[in-house]
Structure formats: C-alpha cells, structure tokens
Amino acid sequence: MSNDDNEAPIVSHARLRAYAPDPPATVSVQNLSTTIRHIGRDAWNRPHKAQPCLLLAEVAFASAFDSASATDRLGTDTVHYGTLSKALLSRVEQRDDTAKNRGDFDALTVASLLRDEEGLWRCLTGLDEPFGPEHQQDALGWDLAGGGWLDLRRVARVSLTVALPKASLLGDGVKVKMSAAFRPAGPGGRPSYAARAMALEISRLRVPTLIGVNDNERNAKQFVVVTVTVEGFTVVEDIYTEIEAAVVKAMEESSFETLEALGAHLANVVMASKWRQNDWLVCIRMEKPTAVPLADCPIVEVRQRSG
C-alpha cells in the first residue's frame, strides 16, 4: 500500500457507496453458516462458548463480466463464489483453533477475526486491514490466481460481515462489518484505499418501554424494537454486550412520550460508553409494533455524531 492510504477517510457505509456507485457487476455470498467456539463472547458476555456464526461477503467490480459473459467460463474478471466461501470458512476455522491453542479468553474477538494479520480481510483481499497502524504496508499477493485472493485492480469495493445471531439476549444478534472502496489502478499498479468503513450493529432489541402520548400508553409498557448501529467502530474489543445492556437499562427506566426524545436519549447513552471514539456516528432505529393497528409499525431513526 502507498503512504497515501493514511489519508483514506473513515466514513459510514452509506457514504462509502458514493466512492464506487452503481458497480456494473457484483458477486456476494450471504449468510455463510459456520460455528465458532473460541471467538467473541456470547449473549451473557462469556468467552469461549460455542455459537453460530454467519459470514457475508460482497465484491463490487469496477467493470462488467465481459470475459465470463462472452465465454461462459470463469475468468479473472470475476471470482468463484464457491472458492470464496471455502476460503472464508477455512480461515474462520483456522482462527478459532488459534484462539483455542492460545488459551486466552480475549485471544480473538469478532473485530479481530476480520482485522488481524491472518483474518478474513487479508484472506479475501491479500491486504493488511485498513484500520490499524500497518495498513499502509505493501500488498501481499493481491493478484494471485486460483485461490481465495481477489485481483484488486478489477475491484471497486469489498465488504465483509461477521454476524452472531445468538450473541444478543433480547435482539436478533450482533454484526461487525468492515468495508473499503479502492482507487482505480492501472495494469501494473498496486491497489490503494479510497475510503474505509467499519460498523457494529446490535439488531432489533425488543424491550418493554413506557412510551407514548395517549392515556393508555401512559398506563402500561409496550415493546419497542431498537436497532443500534455504530459507524466508525474501530474498537477491537468485544463490547456489544456492554452497549446492549446500557441501551436496555435506559429503555426500561425511561418514560418518554415520543420516540424522537427516546432516540436522542439512547444515542447519548451509547456515546457515553467508555469505548467511544471521536468519529462515531450512532444511529438509533426505533419501531412501535402495536402503535398503529393497521400498519406494521411506525419507525423513527435518530443519528448523532461524536466530536
């Protein structure tokens, strides 16, 4: 990587797409299922507990599948999704064994599964992860053929997500997503980062909450479904259970009349985390499933940036 990569901005995933808009071709693998036994923490914040793990990968190409489309054969203008899937699963198994052999409860976190020197990001791109101090180093085997590596000269954007569907007590799980957009490179040029993004999502927490302006809503709690997303999340430690606990406590103790006020309060709670960094963008998405009888739910979203 060139030293210019130090200047690649850290942005939200929504903004990252502007660096590679409307790619002409995309290959993705959704919800690739495996099991981890020594990576991350479970819903009770316990390390070294087996739990299901889903992997999601998306590769957006800078040009169309001209060769593959014309010849009906896989070539260098695409990526074999079967090989991609096997490479990712093999790397997760390898990192899980590493954590077991080290015997350290914090040997490998969900974020480091993506980011460490033998993690999923390097497995897919051949590059050092874009958030640590080493990310400006040279690319490693980025144009190797026949393996899990991508030829990044042809790639506009890459996204990798690790999802733990059982890592939340009251929600649908936890996701850590890392993505990057790449600057165009000539045939002999090395790839470099144009922009970077990393996010934590705690999905669809269902918490009984006193919320609403109507008389009946002031007399009993109702379920509010909350999704917390933290963009700019470059923390390596597993803190999702701590953030979930703080959000749930705040909801259980609150008595706001409006979702707008509740959302602002929850954003402040997340921002008050001891792990907070100056470039966090916190999004609180709230749903009230029982509020409008003839609709699925009203939805309010609140975003707050630190710094």
Side-chain angles (χ1 to χ4, degrees), residues 61-292:
F61 290 88
S63 57
F65 298 141
D66 292 336
S67 174
S69 299
T71 65
D72 196 22
R73 296 288 188 273
L74 292 177
T76 58
D77 58 342
T78 185
V79 60
H80 192 311
Y81 47 77
T83 302
L84 170 63
S85 300
K86 292 176 182 177
L88 294 176
L89 288 174
S90 176
R91 187 57 57 96
V92 170
E93 182 179 350
Q94 175 187 347
R95 303 310 293 145
D96 205 25
D97 288 342
T98 297
K100 176 183 178 181
N101 294 335
R102 286 176 58 176
D104 182 355
F105 281 175
D106 296 315
L108 197 59
T109 66
V110 178
S112 66
L113 173 60
L114 284 167
R115 296 176 51 181
D116 76 3
E117 63 182 9
E118 295 182 2
L120 295 175
W121 187 259
R122 181 174 286 187
C123 171
L124 185 56
T125 69
L127 299 177
D128 288 314
E129 61 95 357
F131 295 98
E134 298 83 14
H135 80 265
Q136 72 275 12
Q137 293 180 0
D138 287 343
L140 301 176
W142 49 271
D143 59 351
L144 295 179
W149 309 111
L150 300 171
D151 183 346
L152 293 182
R153 294 170 299 183
R154 302 179 181 275
V155 172
R157 187 179 65 241
V158 173
S159 293
L160 277 174
T161 303
V162 176
L164 304 180
K166 297 292 186 178
S168 171
L169 286 174
L170 298 178
D172 287 352
V174 173
K175 298 177 183 177
V176 178
K177 182 177 182 179
M178 188 164 77
S179 306
F182 298 92
R183 297 188 182 98
R190 285 190 179 275
S192 60
Y193 295 115
R196 306 161 285 162
M198 191 159 185
L200 168 71
E201 179 184 300
I202 304 171
S203 307
R204 299 185 59 79
L205 296 170
R206 298 169 180 83
V207 184
T209 306
L210 190 63
I211 183 77
V213 298
N214 298 320
D215 291 341
N216 56 296
E217 292 180 306
R218 306 314 300 170
N219 292 325
K221 292 185 175 183
Q222 60 183 299
F223 278 110
V224 176
V225 182
V226 171
T227 295
V228 179
T229 304
V230 181
E231 292 280 1
F233 183 82
T234 57
V235 178
V236 177
E237 292 83 1
D238 288 325
I239 62 170
Y240 41 85
T241 57
E242 296 179 25
I243 293 179
E244 175 175 327
V247 169
V248 170
K249 183 175 185 291
M251 293 178 67
E252 291 176 338
E253 296 177 351
S254 69
S255 59
F256 293 100
E257 292 189 355
T258 66
L259 289 175
E260 289 81 353
L262 174 62
H265 176 60
L266 296 181
N268 287 331
V269 168
V270 176
M271 287 293 189
S273 165
K274 66 180 181 179
W275 304 98
R276 192 202 79 180
Q277 298 165 334
N278 289 331
D279 54 356
W280 275 15
L281 172 64
V282 174
C283 176
I284 307 293
R285 175 187 169 96
M286 298 156 291
E287 306 172 18
K288 284 175 65 176
T290 59
V292 181

